[in-house]
Amino acid sequence: MNNEQHQLELIEKYISQCTTKEETVEFERLMSDDKSFGKSYEEMKLLVTGIENSARQSLWNDLKILDATLPEIKPKQDKATHGKTLWIKVSFAIAASVAGIIFVINLLTPAGVSNGEIYNRYYQPYGSLVDANNRSNDKSVTAKDEALLLYTRGNYSGAIQKLSLLNKAEDVEIEFYLASAYMGNGQLKDAEDKFKQVLTHESLFTDQAKWYLALCYIKTNQLDKAKLIFSELANYENAYMKNAKEILHLAK
Amino acid sequence: MNNNEVLRRIKTGDKLALEEVYIKYRPEFIGWMTSTYKVSVGDAKDLYQQSVLILYENIVNGKLVEMSSNFKTYLYAVGKNKFSELKRQSERNTTEINDDLPDSGNHEEEDRNIKLIQLSEKALIILGNPCKDLLELYYYHKKSMNEIAELLGYKSEGSTKNQKYKCLLRLKEIFQEEMKKNKIVLYE
C-alpha cells in the first residue's frame, strides 16, 4: 500500500469515526503539519457526501416507483369531519346549480359575467407529461421528474418546494411549472411574476405563459392587462385563440 | 417472521425485506400522518419514504441493531420528527423571505458548500459504472469488500480494494476538473 492510499484510508476511517487512538493521533498530526492532507480530507468529505446523496436518491427513486404501483390512499376523515364534508358537498351541489343557472343567464347578457366567473370557467391547471404509471421500468427518475410528479398529483405546495430548488438552473420548463404550481396553489402574485419571467424569452411555453398570465390578471381584476394579452392570443393561430376570443366577448 | 429477522435481512441487503416493510406500514402511516398533522396524501407519502430511508440507513450504519419495539412505532417516531423538521424549515424560510436585512456571509458559505456537493454528485455521474456502484455499495450501503467482490464479480477482496482505490482517484480527478471549470478553489 502506498502512502497516498494509506492516507486515504486514514481519512475514510476518520470520517466514519472508527479510527483507533493511534490513528486519531496520526490524523491530527497530519492535519496540522501537512496542508495537502488537509485538502485531501476536505475533498474526501465532499466526495463521500456526494456518493451518499447519489445512493440515497436512487433508493428514494426505487421507493417512489414501488409506491406508484400500490393502491391510492384517500385521506382519513373522522365522523364529525365526514358529516361536515357531506353537508359541504350537498351545499356546493345546490350552489353550483344556482351558479350554473346564473351563468347561463349571464351568457345571454355577456356584460353580466364577473372576472371571477370567467376565471373559474376557463382556468384548468396545465397538464404535466410526467406520469408515474408509465414509468414502472424506468429507474432514472430525476429531481425534476419528482417535482413534476408532485405537480401532476395536485400537490402544488410540494411541487413549489422542489421546483424552487431547481429554479436556479434557468430551465424555462421549471420556471413555467413553478408558475403553474403557484397558480394552482392560489399564489397569483407569485404566479404572475414567474409567468412574466418565462415570457422574457421565446420558448415552447410562450403561448401557455401568456394564457395563464392573462387568467391571473383576470382573477386579480387587472382587466386592461388581461385584455391586452387575450387580444394578442386572439390574433394568431394558437391553442388558446378560441378561448381568448370568448373571454374578450364576455369581459366587456 | 419476527421484526429482528426482517431487520437482519435488510442489513444483509435483502431489497425485498425493505419493500415488505414499506408495503405493510404504508396505509396506516399515511392515514395517521394526514389525520394527525393535516398534511396532504402527497406530503404524507414523501414523509413516509423519508422515514423508510432513515430506517434503512440506521440499520446499515449499525445504529439500529435490534427492534425492541416494532417497525410501526419506529417509523411513526421518525415520521413525527421529520414533520417537525420540515415545519421548522418552512417557518425559517418564511422568516428569511420577510427579512429585510442584507444577506449575511453565512448564506454565501452555505451556497458554496451546496455547489461543491452538487459538483461531487456530478463527478460521480461522469465517473459512471462500475465505479459508481462500487463506491455506493461501500460508502452508503456499508458493504464489506468481500460482499462487494461477490456482488460485482471481482476475484478477491484484495482486487476489490484496489479497484475501489482506483475508482476514488479517478473520482477525485473528475471532481477537481469540475471545480476548475466552475472556478471554485477548495482552499483559499
Side-chain angles (χ1 to χ4, degrees), chain A residues 1-6 8-9 12 16 31 35-60 62-68 70-78 81 139 150 153 155 157-158 161-162 165 168, chain B residues 15 18-19 22-23 26-28 30-32 34-35 38-43 45-46 48-50 52-53 56-57 86 90 93 111 113 116-118 120-121 123-125 132 135-142 161-162 164-165 168-169 171-172 175-176 179 186-188:
Chain A
M1 185 190 299
N2 63 41
N3 188 48
E4 193 181 3
Q5 200 168 352
H6 168 75
L8 266 179
E9 282 195 11
E12 260 179 21
S16 331
M31 281 295 284
K35 205 174 176 183
S36 69
F37 182 82
K39 190 182 165 198
S40 283
Y41 169 62
E42 292 302 325
E43 228 171 35
M44 259 311 268
K45 278 198 299 184
L46 289 165
L47 293 177
V48 170
T49 304
I51 292 166
E52 288 173 346
N53 285 356
S54 171
R56 183 178 298 119
Q57 188 67 46
S58 292
L59 186 53
W60 195 350
D62 286 345
L63 292 177
K64 284 200 177 299
I65 289 166
L66 170 64
D67 194 275
L70 299 172
E72 260 311 311
I73 292 175
K74 290 195 172 124
K76 252 189 192 174
Q77 278 183 339
D78 55 47
T81 314
K139 296 206 169 193
L150 288 170
R153 289 173 177 170
N155 183 350
S157 55
Q161 221 172 32
K162 287 201 187 292
L165 291 172
K168 288 167 191 165
Chain B
K15 202 178 169 191
L18 188 67
E19 287 182 3
Y22 186 92
I23 293 167
R26 176 183 176 261
E28 240 181 304
I30 290 170
W32 163 74
T34 51
S35 61
K38 313 294 177 212
V39 300
S40 67
V41 170
D43 283 346
K45 278 186 190 174
D46 273 353
Y48 183 57
Q49 284 150 17
Q50 287 179 54
V52 171
L53 265 180
Y56 174 79
E57 288 176 5
L86 282 173
S90 158
N93 288 345
D111 286 347
N113 280 338
L116 282 167
I117 291 169
Q118 283 173 346
S120 76
E121 290 172 30
L124 188 66
I125 293 170
K132 183 172 176 287
L135 294 172
E136 287 181 4
L137 283 168
Y138 183 78
Y139 288 105
Y140 181 75
H141 298 284
K142 308 294 184 200
K161 202 172 171 182
N162 276 336
K164 176 186 149 254
Y165 174 63
L168 213 44
L169 282 185
L171 181 63
K172 278 179 81 165
F175 179 60
Q176 283 160 6
M179 280 201 292
L186 203 50
Y187 263 3
E188 297 298 331

Side-chain angles (χ1 to χ4, degrees), chain A residues 98-109:
Chain A
V98 171
I101 293 165
I102 293 171
F103 186 73
V104 167
I105 291 169
N106 279 335
L107 271 182
L108 299 172
T109 55

